[in-house]
Amino acid sequence: MKLEFLRRKFWAATRQDLDCFVIDNNGFILISKRSQETGRFLGEVDGAVLTQLLSMGVFSQVTMYDYQAMCKPSSHHHSAAQPLVSPISAFLTATRWLLQELVLFLLEWSVWGSWYDRGAEAKSVFHHSHKHKKQDQLQPCDTEYPVFVYQPAIREANGIIECGPCQKVFVVQQIPNSNLLLLVTDPTCDCSIFPPVLQEATEVKYNASVKCDRMRSQKLRRRPDSCHAFHPEENAQDCGGASDTSASPPLLLLPVCAWGLLPQLLR
């Protein structure tokens, strides 16, 4: 069954003056009145309702960790003497900067005459590639992000959210024999005073002791002390033998025959 067909049937069976959502057990929207909300997290669309569901225990927040993430390096240096570690590196950095400024100067004044348009295009490409190169400088890191899980012990819940001058009513009910939930809310009350609930990943900052413990636990892999190139139960005759393979004469003649028959087939 296609999602669009299910969405039409769903809205044919529900009242159109209410906001109805079908969400899964992690809070992601499967069916909504607005098609652009399909696949988004409920906390991004309606942070007030998800915040209330969390306080009621309908959803619980679990912290997950990504130990293979990539993060942007911090802009500050750990030591004031770090830029002076290598004078050669500082000289190469200054030379590279001077060359970049020279190229930008030549492109700015269009010294190539009739190639002005191409020079401007090259200048924009240069800026874009230079900026893109800076953005791609990432380093390995550990990140943490929240995950929201539905508690199946609560099959139905309802509540009222105080949103300043109005109150927002909502009802959530588990759909039998599935991991889905039906959420019905009142669209007339604006609850934008509640911030959205996001699932953004943040870098985990370790202190010195924890970082040392992680470095001890994550030991580098190394090769064995001895080489095991032979096993007494291994039959060496079952391995290799590629040098004894001979070419098949019919397969060698097949391209020649095809080349000879091709002009006759094209007539």
Side-chain angles (χ1 to χ4, degrees), residues 19 21 23 42-56 58-59 157 159-161 163 168-172 182-187 189 191-192 194-197:
D19 268 350
F21 302 93
I23 60 177
L42 177 63
E44 301 177 7
V45 177
D46 197 332
V49 173
L50 185 63
T51 301
Q52 188 69 14
L53 292 176
L54 287 171
S55 64
M56 296 171 60
V58 179
F59 278 86
I160 300 176
I161 306 174
C163 301
K168 187 170 188 175
V169 182
F170 70 92
V171 177
V172 60
L182 174 62
L183 174 64
V184 182
T185 64
D186 180 13
C189 183
C191 288
S192 57
F194 286 84
V197 180

PDB file of all heavy atoms in Angstrom, residues 19 21 23 42-56 58-59 157 159-161 163 168-172 182-187 189 191-192 194-197:
ATOM      1  N   ASP A  19      -5.815  18.676  13.779  1.00  0.00           N
ATOM      2  CA  ASP A  19      -4.517  18.213  13.301  1.00  0.00           C
ATOM      3  C   ASP A  19      -4.318  16.782  13.761  1.00  0.00           C
ATOM      4  O   ASP A  19      -4.250  16.508  14.972  1.00  0.00           O
ATOM      5  CB  ASP A  19      -3.396  19.104  13.854  1.00  0.00           C
ATOM      6  CG  ASP A  19      -3.067  20.238  12.912  1.00  0.00           C
ATOM      7  OD1 ASP A  19      -3.568  20.219  11.768  1.00  0.00           O
ATOM      8  OD2 ASP A  19      -2.331  21.157  13.314  1.00  0.00           O
ATOM      9  N   PHE A  21      -2.020  13.255  13.369  1.00  0.00           N
ATOM     10  CA  PHE A  21      -0.734  12.712  12.983  1.00  0.00           C
ATOM     11  C   PHE A  21      -0.713  11.212  13.277  1.00  0.00           C
ATOM     12  O   PHE A  21      -1.282  10.760  14.269  1.00  0.00           O
ATOM     13  CB  PHE A  21       0.413  13.372  13.757  1.00  0.00           C
ATOM     14  CG  PHE A  21       0.488  14.862  13.604  1.00  0.00           C
ATOM     15  CD1 PHE A  21      -0.154  15.704  14.515  1.00  0.00           C
ATOM     16  CD2 PHE A  21       1.192  15.440  12.562  1.00  0.00           C
ATOM     17  CE1 PHE A  21      -0.080  17.071  14.387  1.00  0.00           C
ATOM     18  CE2 PHE A  21       1.264  16.815  12.424  1.00  0.00           C
ATOM     19  CZ  PHE A  21       0.628  17.627  13.339  1.00  0.00           C
ATOM     20  N   ILE A  23       2.336   8.757  14.064  1.00  0.00           N
ATOM     21  CA  ILE A  23       3.761   8.770  14.362  1.00  0.00           C
ATOM     22  C   ILE A  23       4.189   7.368  14.779  1.00  0.00           C
ATOM     23  O   ILE A  23       3.368   6.541  15.206  1.00  0.00           O
ATOM     24  CB  ILE A  23       4.097   9.786  15.476  1.00  0.00           C
ATOM     25  CG1 ILE A  23       3.359   9.432  16.767  1.00  0.00           C
ATOM     26  CG2 ILE A  23       3.715  11.191  15.034  1.00  0.00           C
ATOM     27  CD1 ILE A  23       3.689  10.338  17.946  1.00  0.00           C
ATOM     28  N   LEU A  42       8.574  14.794  15.378  1.00  0.00           N
ATOM     29  CA  LEU A  42       7.449  15.527  15.947  1.00  0.00           C
ATOM     30  C   LEU A  42       7.917  16.729  16.759  1.00  0.00           C
ATOM     31  O   LEU A  42       7.258  17.771  16.765  1.00  0.00           O
ATOM     32  CB  LEU A  42       6.610  14.591  16.830  1.00  0.00           C
ATOM     33  CG  LEU A  42       5.422  15.225  17.552  1.00  0.00           C
ATOM     34  CD1 LEU A  42       4.396  15.748  16.553  1.00  0.00           C
ATOM     35  CD2 LEU A  42       4.772  14.217  18.511  1.00  0.00           C
ATOM     36  N   GLY A  43       9.053  16.608  17.437  1.00  0.00           N
ATOM     37  CA  GLY A  43       9.552  17.720  18.237  1.00  0.00           C
ATOM     38  C   GLY A  43       9.906  18.934  17.412  1.00  0.00           C
ATOM     39  O   GLY A  43       9.849  20.063  17.908  1.00  0.00           O
ATOM     40  N   GLU A  44      10.279  18.746  16.145  1.00  0.00           N
ATOM     41  CA  GLU A  44      10.553  19.878  15.266  1.00  0.00           C
ATOM     42  C   GLU A  44       9.270  20.564  14.823  1.00  0.00           C
ATOM     43  O   GLU A  44       9.243  21.781  14.643  1.00  0.00           O
ATOM     44  CB  GLU A  44      11.335  19.409  14.040  1.00  0.00           C
ATOM     45  CG  GLU A  44      12.668  18.745  14.355  1.00  0.00           C
ATOM     46  CD  GLU A  44      13.335  18.249  13.103  1.00  0.00           C
ATOM     47  OE1 GLU A  44      12.829  18.535  11.995  1.00  0.00           O
ATOM     48  OE2 GLU A  44      14.378  17.570  13.209  1.00  0.00           O
ATOM     49  N   VAL A  45       8.213  19.783  14.634  1.00  0.00           N
ATOM     50  CA  VAL A  45       6.945  20.335  14.149  1.00  0.00           C
ATOM     51  C   VAL A  45       6.135  20.944  15.285  1.00  0.00           C
ATOM     52  O   VAL A  45       5.577  22.045  15.157  1.00  0.00           O
ATOM     53  CB  VAL A  45       6.142  19.238  13.424  1.00  0.00           C
ATOM     54  CG1 VAL A  45       4.785  19.771  12.969  1.00  0.00           C
ATOM     55  CG2 VAL A  45       6.927  18.703  12.232  1.00  0.00           C
ATOM     56  N   ASP A  46       6.060  20.267  16.413  1.00  0.00           N
ATOM     57  CA  ASP A  46       5.262  20.728  17.552  1.00  0.00           C
ATOM     58  C   ASP A  46       6.031  20.388  18.825  1.00  0.00           C
ATOM     59  O   ASP A  46       5.853  19.311  19.418  1.00  0.00           O
ATOM     60  CB  ASP A  46       3.880  20.057  17.552  1.00  0.00           C
ATOM     61  CG  ASP A  46       2.879  20.783  18.440  1.00  0.00           C
ATOM     62  OD1 ASP A  46       3.319  21.424  19.409  1.00  0.00           O
ATOM     63  OD2 ASP A  46       1.667  20.704  18.170  1.00  0.00           O
ATOM     64  N   GLY A  47       6.875  21.308  19.247  1.00  0.00           N
ATOM     65  CA  GLY A  47       7.662  21.066  20.449  1.00  0.00           C
ATOM     66  C   GLY A  47       6.833  21.051  21.708  1.00  0.00           C
ATOM     67  O   GLY A  47       7.192  20.395  22.696  1.00  0.00           O
ATOM     68  N   ALA A  48       5.701  21.774  21.723  1.00  0.00           N
ATOM     69  CA  ALA A  48       4.863  21.820  22.918  1.00  0.00           C
ATOM     70  C   ALA A  48       4.265  20.455  23.225  1.00  0.00           C
ATOM     71  O   ALA A  48       4.264  20.004  24.378  1.00  0.00           O
ATOM     72  CB  ALA A  48       3.753  22.860  22.727  1.00  0.00           C
ATOM     73  N   VAL A  49       3.753  19.770  22.206  1.00  0.00           N
ATOM     74  CA  VAL A  49       3.123  18.469  22.427  1.00  0.00           C
ATOM     75  C   VAL A  49       4.155  17.442  22.871  1.00  0.00           C
ATOM     76  O   VAL A  49       3.924  16.665  23.809  1.00  0.00           O
ATOM     77  CB  VAL A  49       2.392  18.011  21.148  1.00  0.00           C
ATOM     78  CG1 VAL A  49       1.878  16.583  21.309  1.00  0.00           C
ATOM     79  CG2 VAL A  49       1.238  18.946  20.833  1.00  0.00           C
ATOM     80  N   LEU A  50       5.313  17.417  22.219  1.00  0.00           N
ATOM     81  CA  LEU A  50       6.323  16.426  22.601  1.00  0.00           C
ATOM     82  C   LEU A  50       6.859  16.702  24.007  1.00  0.00           C
ATOM     83  O   LEU A  50       7.113  15.769  24.775  1.00  0.00           O
ATOM     84  CB  LEU A  50       7.461  16.424  21.595  1.00  0.00           C
ATOM     85  CG  LEU A  50       8.509  15.337  21.835  1.00  0.00           C
ATOM     86  CD1 LEU A  50       7.895  13.960  21.700  1.00  0.00           C
ATOM     87  CD2 LEU A  50       9.689  15.471  20.884  1.00  0.00           C
ATOM     88  N   THR A  51       7.016  17.960  24.359  1.00  0.00           N
ATOM     89  CA  THR A  51       7.450  18.286  25.716  1.00  0.00           C
ATOM     90  C   THR A  51       6.448  17.781  26.747  1.00  0.00           C
ATOM     91  O   THR A  51       6.826  17.237  27.797  1.00  0.00           O
ATOM     92  CB  THR A  51       7.635  19.806  25.858  1.00  0.00           C
ATOM     93  OG1 THR A  51       8.602  20.255  24.902  1.00  0.00           O
ATOM     94  CG2 THR A  51       8.108  20.162  27.249  1.00  0.00           C
ATOM     95  N   GLN A  52       5.160  17.924  26.451  1.00  0.00           N
ATOM     96  CA  GLN A  52       4.130  17.438  27.363  1.00  0.00           C
ATOM     97  C   GLN A  52       4.123  15.914  27.417  1.00  0.00           C
ATOM     98  O   GLN A  52       3.939  15.323  28.486  1.00  0.00           O
ATOM     99  CB  GLN A  52       2.761  17.961  26.925  1.00  0.00           C
ATOM    100  CG  GLN A  52       1.635  17.699  27.895  1.00  0.00           C
ATOM    101  CD  GLN A  52       1.775  18.515  29.170  1.00  0.00           C
ATOM    102  OE1 GLN A  52       2.553  19.462  29.237  1.00  0.00           O
ATOM    103  NE2 GLN A  52       1.031  18.126  30.198  1.00  0.00           N
ATOM    104  N   LEU A  53       4.313  15.260  26.278  1.00  0.00           N
ATOM    105  CA  LEU A  53       4.352  13.793  26.258  1.00  0.00           C
ATOM    106  C   LEU A  53       5.548  13.266  27.053  1.00  0.00           C
ATOM    107  O   LEU A  53       5.457  12.210  27.691  1.00  0.00           O
ATOM    108  CB  LEU A  53       4.405  13.291  24.814  1.00  0.00           C
ATOM    109  CG  LEU A  53       3.151  13.519  23.967  1.00  0.00           C
ATOM    110  CD1 LEU A  53       3.383  13.048  22.540  1.00  0.00           C
ATOM    111  CD2 LEU A  53       1.943  12.806  24.567  1.00  0.00           C
ATOM    112  N   LEU A  54       6.648  13.991  27.038  1.00  0.00           N
ATOM    113  CA  LEU A  54       7.807  13.595  27.831  1.00  0.00           C
ATOM    114  C   LEU A  54       7.532  13.741  29.319  1.00  0.00           C
ATOM    115  O   LEU A  54       7.901  12.877  30.130  1.00  0.00           O
ATOM    116  CB  LEU A  54       9.029  14.424  27.431  1.00  0.00           C
ATOM    117  CG  LEU A  54       9.673  14.101  26.086  1.00  0.00           C
ATOM    118  CD1 LEU A  54      10.734  15.135  25.728  1.00  0.00           C
ATOM    119  CD2 LEU A  54      10.299  12.711  26.106  1.00  0.00           C
ATOM    120  N   SER A  55       6.887  14.842  29.702  1.00  0.00           N
ATOM    121  CA  SER A  55       6.577  15.050  31.121  1.00  0.00           C
ATOM    122  C   SER A  55       5.556  14.056  31.641  1.00  0.00           C
ATOM    123  O   SER A  55       5.561  13.709  32.826  1.00  0.00           O
ATOM    124  CB  SER A  55       6.079  16.484  31.333  1.00  0.00           C
ATOM    125  OG  SER A  55       4.856  16.690  30.633  1.00  0.00           O
ATOM    126  N   MET A  56       4.675  13.559  30.747  1.00  0.00           N
ATOM    127  CA  MET A  56       3.671  12.582  31.151  1.00  0.00           C
ATOM    128  C   MET A  56       4.204  11.157  31.140  1.00  0.00           C
ATOM    129  O   MET A  56       3.502  10.236  31.590  1.00  0.00           O
ATOM    130  CB  MET A  56       2.450  12.685  30.225  1.00  0.00           C
ATOM    131  CG  MET A  56       1.727  14.017  30.305  1.00  0.00           C
ATOM    132  SD  MET A  56       0.463  14.189  29.017  1.00  0.00           S
ATOM    133  CE  MET A  56      -0.608  12.813  29.393  1.00  0.00           C
ATOM    134  N   VAL A  58       4.833   9.405  28.418  1.00  0.00           N
ATOM    135  CA  VAL A  58       4.448   8.677  27.215  1.00  0.00           C
ATOM    136  C   VAL A  58       5.689   8.375  26.370  1.00  0.00           C
ATOM    137  O   VAL A  58       5.822   7.291  25.792  1.00  0.00           O
ATOM    138  CB  VAL A  58       3.415   9.475  26.403  1.00  0.00           C
ATOM    139  CG1 VAL A  58       3.026   8.732  25.134  1.00  0.00           C
ATOM    140  CG2 VAL A  58       2.182   9.749  27.251  1.00  0.00           C
ATOM    141  N   PHE A  59       6.597   9.313  26.304  1.00  0.00           N
ATOM    142  CA  PHE A  59       7.889   9.127  25.657  1.00  0.00           C
ATOM    143  C   PHE A  59       8.984   9.319  26.695  1.00  0.00           C
ATOM    144  O   PHE A  59       8.830  10.099  27.650  1.00  0.00           O
ATOM    145  CB  PHE A  59       8.082  10.123  24.506  1.00  0.00           C
ATOM    146  CG  PHE A  59       7.437   9.715  23.222  1.00  0.00           C
ATOM    147  CD1 PHE A  59       6.102  10.023  22.977  1.00  0.00           C
ATOM    148  CD2 PHE A  59       8.139   9.027  22.251  1.00  0.00           C
ATOM    149  CE1 PHE A  59       5.492   9.658  21.795  1.00  0.00           C
ATOM    150  CE2 PHE A  59       7.539   8.645  21.071  1.00  0.00           C
ATOM    151  CZ  PHE A  59       6.218   8.959  20.839  1.00  0.00           C
ATOM    152  N   ALA A 157      -3.450   8.580  26.217  1.00  0.00           N
ATOM    153  CA  ALA A 157      -3.207   9.711  27.108  1.00  0.00           C
ATOM    154  C   ALA A 157      -3.784  10.957  26.464  1.00  0.00           C
ATOM    155  O   ALA A 157      -3.915  11.053  25.241  1.00  0.00           O
ATOM    156  CB  ALA A 157      -1.713   9.892  27.388  1.00  0.00           C
ATOM    157  N   GLY A 159      -4.205  15.510  27.353  1.00  0.00           N
ATOM    158  CA  GLY A 159      -3.778  16.589  28.218  1.00  0.00           C
ATOM    159  C   GLY A 159      -4.101  17.944  27.635  1.00  0.00           C
ATOM    160  O   GLY A 159      -4.587  18.067  26.506  1.00  0.00           O
ATOM    161  N   ILE A 160      -3.840  18.958  28.439  1.00  0.00           N
ATOM    162  CA  ILE A 160      -4.061  20.346  28.053  1.00  0.00           C
ATOM    163  C   ILE A 160      -2.762  21.115  28.268  1.00  0.00           C
ATOM    164  O   ILE A 160      -2.139  21.023  29.327  1.00  0.00           O
ATOM    165  CB  ILE A 160      -5.197  20.985  28.870  1.00  0.00           C
ATOM    166  CG1 ILE A 160      -6.509  20.211  28.654  1.00  0.00           C
ATOM    167  CG2 ILE A 160      -5.378  22.447  28.501  1.00  0.00           C
ATOM    168  CD1 ILE A 160      -7.647  20.731  29.520  1.00  0.00           C
ATOM    169  N   ILE A 161      -2.348  21.870  27.261  1.00  0.00           N
ATOM    170  CA  ILE A 161      -1.112  22.639  27.316  1.00  0.00           C
ATOM    171  C   ILE A 161      -1.484  24.115  27.433  1.00  0.00           C
ATOM    172  O   ILE A 161      -2.227  24.650  26.599  1.00  0.00           O
ATOM    173  CB  ILE A 161      -0.246  22.395  26.068  1.00  0.00           C
ATOM    174  CG1 ILE A 161       0.003  20.899  25.886  1.00  0.00           C
ATOM    175  CG2 ILE A 161       1.074  23.137  26.166  1.00  0.00           C
ATOM    176  CD1 ILE A 161       0.722  20.567  24.587  1.00  0.00           C
ATOM    177  N   CYS A 163      -0.769  27.648  26.763  1.00  0.00           N
ATOM    178  CA  CYS A 163       0.041  28.395  25.788  1.00  0.00           C
ATOM    179  C   CYS A 163      -0.263  29.885  25.872  1.00  0.00           C
ATOM    180  O   CYS A 163      -0.569  30.533  24.860  1.00  0.00           O
ATOM    181  CB  CYS A 163      -0.203  27.873  24.377  1.00  0.00           C
ATOM    182  SG  CYS A 163       0.189  26.126  24.154  1.00  0.00           S
ATOM    183  N   LYS A 168      -4.143  24.356  24.505  1.00  0.00           N
ATOM    184  CA  LYS A 168      -4.078  23.389  23.409  1.00  0.00           C
ATOM    185  C   LYS A 168      -4.388  22.001  23.956  1.00  0.00           C
ATOM    186  O   LYS A 168      -3.716  21.515  24.873  1.00  0.00           O
ATOM    187  CB  LYS A 168      -2.698  23.398  22.747  1.00  0.00           C
ATOM    188  CG  LYS A 168      -2.619  22.531  21.504  1.00  0.00           C
ATOM    189  CD  LYS A 168      -1.323  22.773  20.757  1.00  0.00           C
ATOM    190  CE  LYS A 168      -1.324  22.053  19.427  1.00  0.00           C
ATOM    191  NZ  LYS A 168      -0.114  22.374  18.614  1.00  0.00           N
ATOM    192  N   VAL A 169      -5.400  21.374  23.378  1.00  0.00           N
ATOM    193  CA  VAL A 169      -5.841  20.043  23.807  1.00  0.00           C
ATOM    194  C   VAL A 169      -5.271  19.015  22.832  1.00  0.00           C
ATOM    195  O   VAL A 169      -5.233  19.240  21.617  1.00  0.00           O
ATOM    196  CB  VAL A 169      -7.379  19.961  23.852  1.00  0.00           C
ATOM    197  CG1 VAL A 169      -7.826  18.585  24.345  1.00  0.00           C
ATOM    198  CG2 VAL A 169      -7.947  21.066  24.745  1.00  0.00           C
ATOM    199  N   PHE A 170      -4.845  17.877  23.366  1.00  0.00           N
ATOM    200  CA  PHE A 170      -4.309  16.814  22.507  1.00  0.00           C
ATOM    201  C   PHE A 170      -4.705  15.462  23.091  1.00  0.00           C
ATOM    202  O   PHE A 170      -4.940  15.315  24.296  1.00  0.00           O
ATOM    203  CB  PHE A 170      -2.791  16.916  22.382  1.00  0.00           C
ATOM    204  CG  PHE A 170      -2.046  16.570  23.642  1.00  0.00           C
ATOM    205  CD1 PHE A 170      -1.616  15.261  23.875  1.00  0.00           C
ATOM    206  CD2 PHE A 170      -1.781  17.526  24.593  1.00  0.00           C
ATOM    207  CE1 PHE A 170      -0.930  14.938  25.030  1.00  0.00           C
ATOM    208  CE2 PHE A 170      -1.097  17.216  25.749  1.00  0.00           C
ATOM    209  CZ  PHE A 170      -0.675  15.910  25.975  1.00  0.00           C
ATOM    210  N   VAL A 171      -4.774  14.473  22.211  1.00  0.00           N
ATOM    211  CA  VAL A 171      -5.070  13.086  22.575  1.00  0.00           C
ATOM    212  C   VAL A 171      -4.134  12.205  21.772  1.00  0.00           C
ATOM    213  O   VAL A 171      -3.963  12.402  20.562  1.00  0.00           O
ATOM    214  CB  VAL A 171      -6.545  12.704  22.291  1.00  0.00           C
ATOM    215  CG1 VAL A 171      -6.787  11.241  22.615  1.00  0.00           C
ATOM    216  CG2 VAL A 171      -7.489  13.591  23.071  1.00  0.00           C
ATOM    217  N   VAL A 172      -3.526  11.226  22.433  1.00  0.00           N
ATOM    218  CA  VAL A 172      -2.657  10.268  21.760  1.00  0.00           C
ATOM    219  C   VAL A 172      -3.116   8.866  22.135  1.00  0.00           C
ATOM    220  O   VAL A 172      -3.458   8.597  23.291  1.00  0.00           O
ATOM    221  CB  VAL A 172      -1.176  10.485  22.152  1.00  0.00           C
ATOM    222  CG1 VAL A 172      -0.959  10.316  23.646  1.00  0.00           C
ATOM    223  CG2 VAL A 172      -0.269   9.538  21.373  1.00  0.00           C
ATOM    224  N   LEU A 182      -1.635   7.360  17.126  1.00  0.00           N
ATOM    225  CA  LEU A 182      -2.506   8.374  16.539  1.00  0.00           C
ATOM    226  C   LEU A 182      -2.527   9.565  17.481  1.00  0.00           C
ATOM    227  O   LEU A 182      -2.910   9.455  18.650  1.00  0.00           O
ATOM    228  CB  LEU A 182      -3.912   7.831  16.337  1.00  0.00           C
ATOM    229  CG  LEU A 182      -4.960   8.845  15.852  1.00  0.00           C
ATOM    230  CD1 LEU A 182      -4.581   9.398  14.478  1.00  0.00           C
ATOM    231  CD2 LEU A 182      -6.353   8.217  15.807  1.00  0.00           C
ATOM    232  N   LEU A 183      -2.101  10.702  16.967  1.00  0.00           N
ATOM    233  CA  LEU A 183      -2.039  11.935  17.753  1.00  0.00           C
ATOM    234  C   LEU A 183      -2.983  12.951  17.139  1.00  0.00           C
ATOM    235  O   LEU A 183      -2.895  13.262  15.948  1.00  0.00           O
ATOM    236  CB  LEU A 183      -0.607  12.483  17.775  1.00  0.00           C
ATOM    237  CG  LEU A 183      -0.413  13.842  18.442  1.00  0.00           C
ATOM    238  CD1 LEU A 183      -0.753  13.781  19.925  1.00  0.00           C
ATOM    239  CD2 LEU A 183       1.015  14.343  18.239  1.00  0.00           C
ATOM    240  N   VAL A 184      -3.897  13.492  17.958  1.00  0.00           N
ATOM    241  CA  VAL A 184      -4.874  14.486  17.530  1.00  0.00           C
ATOM    242  C   VAL A 184      -4.668  15.738  18.385  1.00  0.00           C
ATOM    243  O   VAL A 184      -4.668  15.650  19.623  1.00  0.00           O
ATOM    244  CB  VAL A 184      -6.315  13.964  17.673  1.00  0.00           C
ATOM    245  CG1 VAL A 184      -7.307  15.017  17.180  1.00  0.00           C
ATOM    246  CG2 VAL A 184      -6.492  12.658  16.907  1.00  0.00           C
ATOM    247  N   THR A 185      -4.486  16.882  17.744  1.00  0.00           N
ATOM    248  CA  THR A 185      -4.257  18.144  18.452  1.00  0.00           C
ATOM    249  C   THR A 185      -5.204  19.213  17.927  1.00  0.00           C
ATOM    250  O   THR A 185      -5.785  19.089  16.850  1.00  0.00           O
ATOM    251  CB  THR A 185      -2.804  18.618  18.278  1.00  0.00           C
ATOM    252  OG1 THR A 185      -2.572  18.906  16.891  1.00  0.00           O
ATOM    253  CG2 THR A 185      -1.828  17.559  18.742  1.00  0.00           C
ATOM    254  N   ASP A 186      -5.309  20.275  18.707  1.00  0.00           N
ATOM    255  CA  ASP A 186      -6.145  21.416  18.339  1.00  0.00           C
ATOM    256  C   ASP A 186      -5.278  22.440  17.601  1.00  0.00           C
ATOM    257  O   ASP A 186      -4.339  22.998  18.174  1.00  0.00           O
ATOM    258  CB  ASP A 186      -6.744  22.036  19.595  1.00  0.00           C
ATOM    259  CG  ASP A 186      -7.632  23.233  19.271  1.00  0.00           C
ATOM    260  OD1 ASP A 186      -7.968  23.413  18.079  1.00  0.00           O
ATOM    261  OD2 ASP A 186      -7.975  23.978  20.208  1.00  0.00           O
ATOM    262  N   PRO A 187      -5.554  22.725  16.322  1.00  0.00           N
ATOM    263  CA  PRO A 187      -4.700  23.638  15.564  1.00  0.00           C
ATOM    264  C   PRO A 187      -4.989  25.110  15.804  1.00  0.00           C
ATOM    265  O   PRO A 187      -4.247  25.977  15.323  1.00  0.00           O
ATOM    266  CB  PRO A 187      -4.999  23.256  14.117  1.00  0.00           C
ATOM    267  CG  PRO A 187      -6.412  22.809  14.139  1.00  0.00           C
ATOM    268  CD  PRO A 187      -6.607  22.137  15.475  1.00  0.00           C
ATOM    269  N   CYS A 189      -4.925  26.862  18.632  1.00  0.00           N
ATOM    270  CA  CYS A 189      -4.112  27.492  19.671  1.00  0.00           C
ATOM    271  C   CYS A 189      -2.651  27.501  19.228  1.00  0.00           C
ATOM    272  O   CYS A 189      -2.091  26.463  18.866  1.00  0.00           O
ATOM    273  CB  CYS A 189      -4.259  26.749  20.999  1.00  0.00           C
ATOM    274  SG  CYS A 189      -3.335  27.520  22.358  1.00  0.00           S
ATOM    275  N   CYS A 191       1.073  27.582  20.050  1.00  0.00           N
ATOM    276  CA  CYS A 191       1.981  27.262  21.155  1.00  0.00           C
ATOM    277  C   CYS A 191       3.433  27.455  20.734  1.00  0.00           C
ATOM    278  O   CYS A 191       4.315  26.664  21.107  1.00  0.00           O
ATOM    279  CB  CYS A 191       1.764  25.831  21.632  1.00  0.00           C
ATOM    280  SG  CYS A 191       0.231  25.580  22.553  1.00  0.00           S
ATOM    281  N   SER A 192       3.675  28.490  19.958  1.00  0.00           N
ATOM    282  CA  SER A 192       5.045  28.746  19.505  1.00  0.00           C
ATOM    283  C   SER A 192       5.956  29.251  20.616  1.00  0.00           C
ATOM    284  O   SER A 192       7.161  29.389  20.407  1.00  0.00           O
ATOM    285  CB  SER A 192       5.030  29.769  18.365  1.00  0.00           C
ATOM    286  OG  SER A 192       4.398  30.969  18.768  1.00  0.00           O
ATOM    287  N   PHE A 194       6.724  27.552  23.077  1.00  0.00           N
ATOM    288  CA  PHE A 194       7.544  26.396  23.420  1.00  0.00           C
ATOM    289  C   PHE A 194       8.602  26.201  22.327  1.00  0.00           C
ATOM    290  O   PHE A 194       8.278  26.187  21.131  1.00  0.00           O
ATOM    291  CB  PHE A 194       6.681  25.135  23.533  1.00  0.00           C
ATOM    292  CG  PHE A 194       5.839  25.079  24.775  1.00  0.00           C
ATOM    293  CD1 PHE A 194       4.602  25.708  24.831  1.00  0.00           C
ATOM    294  CD2 PHE A 194       6.294  24.403  25.895  1.00  0.00           C
ATOM    295  CE1 PHE A 194       3.829  25.665  25.973  1.00  0.00           C
ATOM    296  CE2 PHE A 194       5.529  24.350  27.048  1.00  0.00           C
ATOM    297  CZ  PHE A 194       4.288  24.984  27.095  1.00  0.00           C
ATOM    298  N   PRO A 195       9.839  26.034  22.700  1.00  0.00           N
ATOM    299  CA  PRO A 195      10.878  25.819  21.681  1.00  0.00           C
ATOM    300  C   PRO A 195      10.753  24.423  21.087  1.00  0.00           C
ATOM    301  O   PRO A 195      10.245  23.495  21.728  1.00  0.00           O
ATOM    302  CB  PRO A 195      12.189  25.978  22.470  1.00  0.00           C
ATOM    303  CG  PRO A 195      11.826  25.581  23.874  1.00  0.00           C
ATOM    304  CD  PRO A 195      10.407  26.039  24.071  1.00  0.00           C
ATOM    305  N   PRO A 196      11.216  24.235  19.858  1.00  0.00           N
ATOM    306  CA  PRO A 196      11.197  22.892  19.265  1.00  0.00           C
ATOM    307  C   PRO A 196      12.164  21.956  19.975  1.00  0.00           C
ATOM    308  O   PRO A 196      13.177  22.384  20.532  1.00  0.00           O
ATOM    309  CB  PRO A 196      11.605  23.142  17.808  1.00  0.00           C
ATOM    310  CG  PRO A 196      12.389  24.415  17.850  1.00  0.00           C
ATOM    311  CD  PRO A 196      11.777  25.252  18.930  1.00  0.00           C
ATOM    312  N   VAL A 197      11.845  20.695  19.957  1.00  0.00           N
ATOM    313  CA  VAL A 197      12.706  19.655  20.531  1.00  0.00           C
ATOM    314  C   VAL A 197      13.473  19.022  19.374  1.00  0.00           C
ATOM    315  O   VAL A 197      12.872  18.385  18.498  1.00  0.00           O
ATOM    316  CB  VAL A 197      11.888  18.604  21.292  1.00  0.00           C
ATOM    317  CG1 VAL A 197      12.797  17.536  21.892  1.00  0.00           C
ATOM    318  CG2 VAL A 197      11.049  19.269  22.374  1.00  0.00           C
TER     319      VAL A 197
END
